[in-house]
Amino acid sequence: QVQLVESGGGSVSAGGSLRLSCAASGFTVSNGCMGWFRQAPGKEREFVSAISSDGSTSCADSVKGRFTISQDNAKRTGYLQMNSLKPEDTAMYYCAMGAGTWYNPRYNYWGQGTQVTVS
């Protein structure tokens, strides 16, 4: 049974940083792809960033230059380093993993989410 557990969310002032983690059990990150999504109250879930097993990445224009996605295959953990946070980054952040690549993902597994609040 695959389980994803996010952590690292919290409250931070604008301009601050947070690092989200996504720990996977029952799934090898290096065999597929991982993505981060977010959903703010009253809005639809949106794509933030993704990484393929070869290390290639993609990110939304709204976070480009501020957020960095990475993964530690040995630890079966993915990360989202978020710098220069803005109030509009406030949302519940979800990680997803599955087969495929960042440009053709098949996200079969989702975490429960971690809240990020920027004031």
Side-chain angles (χ1 to χ4, degrees):
Q1 182 177 358
V2 176
Q3 186 175 15
L4 306 182
V5 179
E6 300 104 330
S7 61
S11 297
V12 65
S13 299
S17 298
L18 286 172
R19 188 175 82 154
L20 305 184
S21 298
C22 177
S25 60
F27 183 84
T28 302
V29 177
S30 60
N31 288 342
C33 61
M34 178 188 69
W36 286 94
F37 296 80
R38 67 186 181 186
Q39 186 168 20
K43 295 186 177 182
E44 294 187 353
R45 186 178 64 191
E46 64 175 359
F47 168 78
V48 176
S49 187
I51 185 168
S52 297
S53 58
D54 65 358
S56 60
T57 64
S58 175
C59 67
D61 288 342
S62 59
V63 305
K64 196 165 293 182
R66 299 188 299 122
F67 290 11
T68 302
I69 191 171
S70 63
Q71 60 189 25
D72 185 327
N73 295 330
K75 295 182 178 179
R76 297 190 175 190
T77 301
Y79 304 97
L80 184 68
Q81 177 67 44
M82 306 186 297
N83 299 327
S84 302
L85 283 162
K86 304 176 181 180
E88 51 263 43
D89 295 319
T90 295
M92 184 71 79
Y93 283 71
Y94 300 89
C95 73
M97 294 187 185
T101 61
W102 66 257
Y103 48 89
N104 187 25
R106 297 187 291 278
Y107 294 123
N108 302 110
Y109 312 107
W110 292 81
Q112 82 290 349
T114 185
Q115 178 68 38
V116 171
T117 303
V118 185
S119 59

